Amino acid sequence: MKSMHFPSKIKVGAIEIPSVLTTYKVNDKLVLNGVEGKLVQCIADKLNSVVEILTPTSGMFGSQYSNGTWDGIIGMVQREDADLGVMALSISEERWKAIEFSIPYNILEKGFATKEPGEMPKVAAFTYPFSLKTWILYALMTLATTVLFQRIMFRNATLLGSFLSVLGSIASQAMENVRETPWRRVLFGLWLATATVMPFFYNTSFLSFLTMPEKIPVPRTFEELSKAVLNGKYKCLTPKGTIDRKFLLESDIDYIVKLGEIIEKNNWEYSNSDQFADLLDNPVAIIIATNSLRLLLGTPPYVTVKASDDHLGTWNVGIVVSKGFCCKERLNNILRGIINGGLYEKWLDEVGFRDKLHKRLELKHKEPELQLTVMDLKMAFFALFIGYGLAFLAFLAELLIPKRFDIFFS
């Protein structure tokens, strides 16, 4: 019969990660900090037990070998080297075959994070007011109007002359040599309305794009991330020693499976010892739980990290318990009190606020630059000088080319 008394010393498998679980000694007494550390410390204090933290040599949460054994924290508990295992480990069927879990005490939502997008370059800001499809449609409309006006509107105009007249009307220049009939006036009025409205929309948007530049688009959903990874624009890393990659490969959604396959092929992964901010300096996305993202990386504007808009899935989180552990039911009773009292959520908020405050104090305040500079307008000046150069060449052509070679009128 199993003992009903909680052991005076419990061995806990864990990995030291700032904000999640850290250890230090006060008067030769081990003190745990971090969200998971506070959870273990609360259980130990409630039961008057001494905690011994054991770290797996692999430094991983736990991944399964082909023979059914596990490494990391799961492996330590499976071999009964540790009584319990923490670090917000998700409950899964594969893990339950090797070990047992306490009642769930939190919910884990797996998403991904990318670096906060930077500003789009102002050099190409003159193209931003319209999308690519709009620019193409506008160009085709201008060319179609050129051909139509050359045939039915202008007197004896060549295609080049008609094109220059249509292009000039967009820039508020008058049209000459136009045939005057009622139905032609209707057609002419429709074009002038278009030639007035489109530049108006463009001009009202152009300065706003210069003073308040748009952000470079980054993947916001797993579907967008999958497309970006398959196109070679992004890398996606999964946590080392977890079952996240398996979740991707066994998904019922095609684009998630493709994402898992390319991650598996390239063996893209990261470990808990890596600096997450450094990983995201390149076009990289990391799959991470929402709570972990808040604790390990913080939240904008104090860190340049962007969380995804959707999630890979939702899992319950429990304490890993060895099959030979004596007091699982008593442990569950303590956890019920912690959950019902809202203590775990309180610890999450406290640690998150503390780290956010530290990052805020370290952040150097910068005044936003809302004024336009010469560098912001260099492309506009460049286009202006090119236009002046072309106009001068056209002027010379009109003076030097004989009338019989007139290219504007037939």
Side-chain angles (χ1 to χ4, degrees), residues 58-76:
S58 63
M60 297 188 296
F61 298 142
S63 55
Q64 190 176 22
Y65 296 119
S66 57
N67 60 2
T69 60
W70 292 71
D71 64 2
I73 296 174
I74 303 295
M76 293 178 65

Side-chain angles (χ1 to χ4, degrees), residues 109-112 222 256 288-290 308-315:
E109 292 180 335
K110 282 293 181 76
F112 66 88
F222 272 95
I256 291 182
I288 189 170
T290 305
S308 61
D309 292 336
D310 63 355
H311 300 95
L312 180 63
T314 302
W315 290 268

Side-chain angles (χ1 to χ4, degrees), residues 85-302:
V86 293
M87 302 306 288
L89 297 170
S90 56
I91 300 174
S92 68
E93 184 178 356
E94 292 81 5
R95 287 175 172 176
W96 202 287
K97 293 176 182 178
I99 42 83
E100 294 183 358
F101 281 93
S102 67
I103 61 171
Y105 63 87
N106 195 22
I107 295 177
L108 202 64
E109 292 180 335
K110 282 293 181 76
F112 66 88
T114 57
K115 187 175 182 179
E116 181 77 16
E119 294 180 351
M120 297 178 72
K122 293 182 180 179
V123 173
F126 67 93
T127 65
Y128 296 161
F130 296 152
S131 65
L132 178 60
K133 292 181 179 179
T134 305
W135 279 117
I136 294 174
L137 180 62
Y138 197 18
L140 292 176
M141 183 175 61
T142 303
L143 294 176
T145 304
T146 296
V147 176
L148 181 64
F149 277 25
Q150 188 264 339
R151 291 183 178 275
I152 67 173
M153 186 69 68
F154 298 124
R155 296 186 181 94
N156 303 321
T158 63
L159 278 176
L160 178 58
S162 177
F163 174 72
L164 292 177
S165 294
V166 170
L167 197 62
S169 68
I170 297 175
S172 302
Q173 299 297 316
M175 282 186 173
E176 298 179 351
N177 198 33
V178 178
R179 296 174 181 176
E180 292 285 345
T181 60
W183 70 271
R184 285 191 177 94
R185 289 194 188 98
V186 173
L187 183 63
F188 189 48
L190 290 175
W191 169 249
L192 288 182
T194 304
T196 302
V197 170
M198 292 297 288
F200 173 77
F201 287 152
Y202 179 86
N203 293 332
T204 54
S205 302
F206 179 61
L207 286 179
S208 64
F209 276 94
L210 285 177
T211 53
M212 297 292 291
E214 288 259 319
K215 297 287 187 179
I216 297 174
V218 297
R220 304 301 317 120
T221 64
F222 272 95
E223 184 174 7
E224 293 177 359
L225 177 63
S226 179
K227 290 179 181 178
V229 171
L230 291 174
N231 292 332
K233 298 179 180 179
Y234 261 81
K235 290 173 62 177
C236 182
L237 312 180
T238 56
K240 191 175 183 180
T242 64
I243 53 180
D244 291 358
R245 195 177 297 182
K246 186 176 181 180
F247 289 146
L248 294 172
L249 295 172
E250 294 180 353
S251 174
D252 296 329
I253 304 175
D254 182 59
Y255 59 80
I256 291 182
V257 174
K258 290 180 179 178
L259 177 62
E261 288 174 349
I262 195 169
I263 293 173
E264 181 76 17
K265 178 182 177 181
N266 294 280
N267 194 29
W268 288 335
E269 58 184 13
Y270 67 92
S271 66
N272 298 307
S273 59
D274 292 332
Q275 294 294 324
F276 298 103
D278 295 338
L279 290 175
L280 296 172
D281 279 342
N282 298 315
V284 172
I286 60 172
I287 293 181
I288 189 170
T290 305
N291 288 340
S292 300
L293 177 63
R294 184 174 64 175
L295 290 174
L296 300 177
L297 293 175
T299 55
Y302 311 113

